[in-house]
Amino acid sequence: MAIQLKKVSNLETLALGFNYEGSIDIANDVPTGGAVDIQFNSAELIGTVGKVALVVDQHVPADNSGSTDYTSYKVQVGDTNDPNGQIADVELCPAGTEAALGTIFVSTGDDAFGTVVSNVGATFVSLNETDEALATAGKVRVFFEYYPTAGDNFSG
């Protein structure tokens, strides 16, 4: 499963330094195994990331479409070399100590500003009920300061 980033057009978001954004609807976008590719124009992100942010818009309820409740449901963002390099674990389930709605997490992983990345994705990990695809709700937004290796259009 993959989500597509779009270029940021909101002036406030641009002022924060982010030029790409996307949204993940957990109930519809997260498959079994929890791996969601993050792409732009249907291509993997390959380039340099200055910073990444994640905003929690809706929690993942402990009750799901399976027979066992979640006791934790976390998300992390990174690339194939460091799956939590941009955003370290953020708890989304009230059964754990969930992040407050509307909270923004900026570059909480261990990657430095200006890290070269390839194949960026979000990884969702659940406990107790181990099938992440059974979530019935939950939404997060991701924001990137991203510069493609192949270059980008500039209108300045």
Side-chain angles (χ1 to χ4, degrees):
M1 181 56 97
I3 63 138
Q4 299 298 316
L5 295 179
K6 62 181 182 176
K7 289 194 174 190
V8 170
S9 59
N10 177 289
L11 290 178
E12 290 84 4
T13 305
L14 286 168
L16 291 173
F18 300 107
N19 55 352
Y20 290 86
E21 64 184 341
S23 179
I24 301 172
D25 178 339
I26 294 165
N28 294 312
D29 297 338
V30 177
T32 297
V36 177
D37 285 340
I38 298 174
Q39 302 178 345
F40 179 68
N41 283 341
S42 298
E44 299 292 340
L45 299 186
I46 299 174
T48 303
V49 169
K51 60 184 172 181
V52 176
L54 180 130
V55 175
V56 179
D57 290 325
Q58 182 183 35
H59 290 131
V60 174
D63 189 27
N64 56 65
S65 61
S67 59
T68 308
D69 286 355
Y70 293 126
T71 55
S72 175
Y73 199 103
K74 295 180 180 179
V75 60
Q76 56 189 2
V77 178
D79 69 357
T80 51
N81 294 323
D82 191 357
N84 66 353
Q86 278 82 40
I87 300 291
D89 292 341
V90 174
E91 180 63 62
L92 303 173
C93 183
T97 305
E98 82 277 17
L101 294 179
T103 302
I104 186 169
F105 296 88
V106 180
S107 299
T108 59
D110 57 9
D111 281 353
F113 181 88
T115 298
V116 175
V117 297
S118 62
N119 301 326
V120 174
T123 304
F124 295 84
V125 178
S126 61
L127 294 178
N128 203 32
E129 172 54 70
T130 57
D131 189 346
E132 294 80 13
L134 298 176
T136 57
K139 287 186 173 60
V140 296
R141 284 178 288 157
V142 290
F143 299 91
F144 285 81
E145 178 186 7
Y146 167 64
Y147 305 98
T149 299
D152 202 357
N153 292 332
F154 178 76
S155 59

